Amino acid sequence: MAPTTLFIILLLVHISNSNTCDATNPAPKFPAVLVFGDSTVDTGNNNYLKTLFKGNHYPYGKDFPGQIPTGRFSNGKLVPDFLVSILNIKQTVPPFLDPSLSDNDLITGVCFASGGSGYDDITAAGAGILAFSKQIELFKEYAVRVERILGDKEAKKLITSSLVVVSAGTNDFGFNFYDIPTRRLEFNISGYQDFLLNKLHIFIEELYELGCRKLAIAGLPPVGCLPIQVTVKFGKPKDGRCVDDENSDSQIYNQKLVKLLSKMQSLLPGSRIVYLDVYEPLIDMINNPHKFGFVVTKRGCCGTGFVEAGPLCNALTPVCADDSEYLFWDSIHPTEATYQYLSKYLEKNVLPKFAYRNQSRPSITRSGHPYRADDRY
């Protein structure tokens, strides 16, 4: 067989195999990731606000590259950071309020989230943090800045094809219903769930009107297993139990959320709105810790692990010897190890839901700022 003929055959086999892989496991790609929410996804916006609830001091960030407290409420990276790495966009997501953002930082995605925030307006009231209404306003500012960089047409394409992540709700139930029963004076638990879901409904519609089409909306975690919630309910627990009623509430909320997102996608042409399940992977880690390399799942690594968070977890607070063995970093927030496992779960179970076959992913360059735009996802 002639060498040229052999080369052509091998090339055709390679192309055939490549197409088969793409058909069975298409990989979603996005030019940028845009993040809204609370402290689980706040990469440092609270650093620039007049609020006590900050994570810009040691021991926060002790395992972040360079051992720098960045304002992330954990010992290291958060899910948005792992996601942009998985998607080969960059290594971390910067906060939008950072005054040193470059053009490339902006067009590859930023974070608008704020620790302590929630869908309910009163969650952020008086705390000096970014309510969801303010996060939307900052996103509008972002869109203007991106338009200056790329021009109107390409800026709109960027926003349309970006992955938008929204994660909130835990603070609403913790601050307003369980621990400080402000909303219990107005609602029963089902009514408050519906109230929050209506707020989220409005928020998603606002994002859609501003051009967002690819949204991943996180449900609630097992709220009753957060160390702070267990402490409030039982005092210092000795038997490692969770607050079953609060976990049940989280599951019911998530079921309602799934129905809402399905309905919204059908009503918003061109949208892809995906439920981001954090409850199941987290409860799996809690119930089967050794499968993930965890030893301690009922308290945080910082201090006693039952009450410390934000200003109470500080440079004078002792920390555990090996935070990779802990599911929780403080009494509220997971460790980097937990966030990494969550990100792997999302890579396998959530990101593929954005993938569509047989469409191109053109490269766009304007004003010397290259990025990849993809209307498929």
Side-chain angles (χ1 to χ4, degrees):
M1 184 181 294
T4 302
T5 304
L6 177 61
F7 173 77
I8 292 172
I9 291 173
L10 291 173
L11 180 61
L12 290 172
V13 169
H14 173 73
I15 293 172
S16 176
N17 288 339
S18 298
N19 288 340
T20 300
C21 291
D22 288 342
T24 56
N25 188 28
K29 296 185 174 82
F30 306 90
V33 174
L34 304 170
V35 185
F36 300 85
D38 58 21
S39 57
T40 58
V41 289
D42 178 3
T43 59
N45 281 311
N46 279 17
N47 295 353
Y48 306 97
L49 303 173
K50 294 181 179 180
T51 178
L52 293 175
F53 199 54
K54 297 183 180 184
N56 62 347
H57 53 269
Y58 192 84
Y60 289 102
K62 65 181 286 292
D63 298 309
F64 194 82
Q67 299 181 315
I68 302 171
T70 61
R72 291 167 173 81
F73 290 88
S74 188
N75 58 303
K77 292 183 178 181
L78 308 182
V79 167
D81 301 313
F82 288 117
L83 279 181
V84 292
S85 179
I86 289 168
L87 294 167
N88 294 315
I89 298 173
K90 52 187 175 183
Q91 293 303 305
T92 58
V93 180
F96 180 65
L97 293 183
D98 183 347
S100 66
L101 290 177
S102 67
D103 287 354
N104 190 64
D105 288 330
L106 289 166
I107 64 175
T108 52
V110 293
C111 174
F112 304 94
S114 179
S117 194
Y119 300 125
D120 191 340
D121 295 337
I122 69 169
T123 303
I129 57 179
L130 302 176
F132 264 63
S133 57
K134 181 60 177 177
Q135 292 182 35
I136 279 285
E137 292 305 312
L138 291 177
F139 178 60
K140 292 177 182 177
E141 293 180 22
Y142 166 83
V144 171
R145 292 174 67 176
V146 170
E147 183 179 344
R148 289 178 188 149
I149 298 168
L150 299 173
D152 178 67
K153 183 178 179 181
E154 276 72 24
K156 287 177 178 176
K157 280 188 177 180
L158 176 69
I159 291 173
T160 297
S161 54
S162 293
L163 174 62
V164 177
V165 177
V166 182
S167 176
T170 300
N171 292 328
D172 296 312
F173 287 98
F175 294 161
N176 306 328
F177 202 87
Y178 297 136
D179 304 342
I180 306 171
T182 309
R183 288 300 191 187
R184 281 215 307 258
L185 300 175
E186 303 174 64
F187 303 101
N188 59 21
I189 185 61
S190 180
Y192 191 52
Q193 290 170 344
D194 295 342
F195 173 82
L196 293 178
L197 289 169
N198 184 59
K199 292 285 188 179
L200 175 57
H201 186 151
I202 295 169
F203 184 73
I204 292 173
E205 286 184 331
E206 288 179 307
L207 289 174
Y208 182 85
E209 290 299 319
L210 293 169
C212 300
R213 293 294 182 270
K214 324 302 175 187
L215 295 91
I217 312 296
L220 290 176
V223 173
C225 291
L226 300 182
I228 189 66
Q229 292 305 112
V230 176
T231 301
V232 170
K233 182 73 174 181
F234 303 121
K236 187 176 181 180
K238 294 182 179 180
D239 59 0
R241 56 182 168 163
C242 296
V243 186
D244 292 337
D245 289 348
E246 294 181 8
N247 280 355
S248 178
D249 294 341
S250 297
Q251 290 176 301
I252 294 170
Y253 172 92
N254 290 341
Q255 291 166 6
K256 291 181 177 181
L257 175 60
V258 170
K259 292 179 181 178
L260 170 65
L261 298 183
S262 177
K263 178 181 178 182
M264 292 199 71
Q265 181 170 292
S266 69
L267 295 174
L268 299 176
S271 68
R272 184 65 173 147
I273 307 174
V274 174
Y275 171 62
L276 199 162
D277 185 2
V278 295
Y279 188 101
E280 290 303 324
L282 280 173
I283 204 68
D284 190 22
M285 293 181 213
I286 290 167
N287 292 335
N288 305 286
H290 298 297
K291 187 168 71 173
F292 301 91
F294 293 126
V295 177
V296 183
T297 63
K298 304 299 184 182
R299 60 184 176 88
C301 170
C302 187
T304 65
F306 296 115
V307 296
E308 291 86 355
L312 297 180
C313 177
N314 55 58
L316 300 178
T317 312
V319 295
C320 63
D322 186 356
D323 51 47
S324 68
E325 296 182 346
Y326 280 67
L327 191 148
F328 290 101
W329 166 246
D330 58 22
S331 66
I332 300 172
H333 307 100
T335 57
E336 179 184 71
T338 305
Y339 283 132
Q340 189 163 23
Y341 282 122
L342 271 177
S343 300
K344 290 176 181 177
Y345 178 90
L346 301 180
E347 179 183 14
K348 179 180 178 181
N349 296 285
V350 176
L351 290 181
K353 295 179 181 179
F354 287 97
Y356 291 86
R357 291 170 51 194
N358 300 327
Q359 297 189 38
S360 62
R361 185 170 184 257
S363 179
I364 296 177
T365 303
R366 184 176 180 88
S367 304
H369 301 285
Y371 73 96
R372 308 286 292 185
D374 192 339
D375 295 332
R376 296 179 298 163
Y377 308 111

